[in-house]
Amino acid sequence: GAVVSQHPSRVICKSGTSVKIECRSLDFQATTMFWYRQFPKQSLMLMATSNEGSKATYEQGVEKDKFLINHASLTLSTLTVTSAHPEDSSFYICSARGGGGAGTDTQYFGPGTRLTVL
Amino acid sequence: AQSVAQPEDQVNVAEGNPLTVKCTYSVSGNPYLFWYVQYPNRGLQFLLKYITGDNLVKGSYGFEAEFNKSQTSFHLKKPSALVSDSALYFCAVRDIQAGTALIFGKGTTLSVSS
């Protein structure tokens, strides 16, 4: 299957700082990327959907000024958690879906980023 | 609105026995249905999907799932469980017409004992 990478895999930061997480589709062009958040022993909650070159669409309850999403190219999306606080600590997972061929229907997931805010 | 229900938090089976992880869904149109597996502190790995065609779908690692439109179900099955199958399993749905992101069930922990 298609490969999605995510970096960093783990980050610890102080409260009030900003953290950037990168998501890359390595072997296909991702016209649409998604960002999910997962709390311990819970399901994935969709945060936002982004299409290359356009603004992200955020789910209800997700602060767009706090979780900045940039989908600058067909292989790269970034999530920046601004002014992070302890309640932002979570497992963040990106996902990508291609614009044609085998990748069209299937969302492929990155390995996740464990964010801990002290 | 789309939704997915996984009624069991945990499924326990002995190695070598068949396993079933249940999933029911709700969409306004026709569904795309998926199963993913997640190992601790890892992302999700794609197992299989139903888009159209044969209701019985075969996927990775010997898993299969059967789409049942009348029961709006998409249960995951494997004829003979392995200890290495122990993980967290997620069912997900997407409305074909809506073209939206996948919506996930809460997940079912599968525990296979030796």
Side-chain angles (χ1 to χ4, degrees), chain B residues 18-21 35 48 56 62-66 75-79:
Chain B
L19 69 88
T20 298
V21 183
W35 276 100
L48 52 80
L56 182 63
F63 284 94
E64 60 186 31
E66 185 164 13
H75 301 330
L76 180 70
K77 299 183 179 184
K78 187 173 182 179

Side-chain angles (χ1 to χ4, degrees), chain A residues 10 34 36 38 41-44 46 49 91 93 97 102 104-112 114, chain B residues 32 34 36 38 41-46 49 51 88 90 94 99-107:
Chain A
R10 184 181 295 269
F34 310 88
Y36 291 82
Q38 185 180 30
K41 300 189 185 299
Q42 294 190 28
S43 187
L44 281 73
L46 178 66
T49 301
F91 194 52
I93 306 176
R97 189 170 73 203
T104 301
D105 303 316
T106 303
Q107 279 180 228
Y108 293 96
F109 287 80
R114 172 74 60 193
Chain B
Y32 284 168
F34 299 78
Y36 290 84
Q38 185 180 33
N41 295 310
R42 302 287 296 275
L44 273 67
Q45 295 180 31
F46 168 73
K49 65 181 177 183
I51 303 299
L88 182 57
F90 288 101
R94 178 161 78 91
T100 54
L102 286 176
I103 301 301
F104 286 84
K106 64 178 181 177

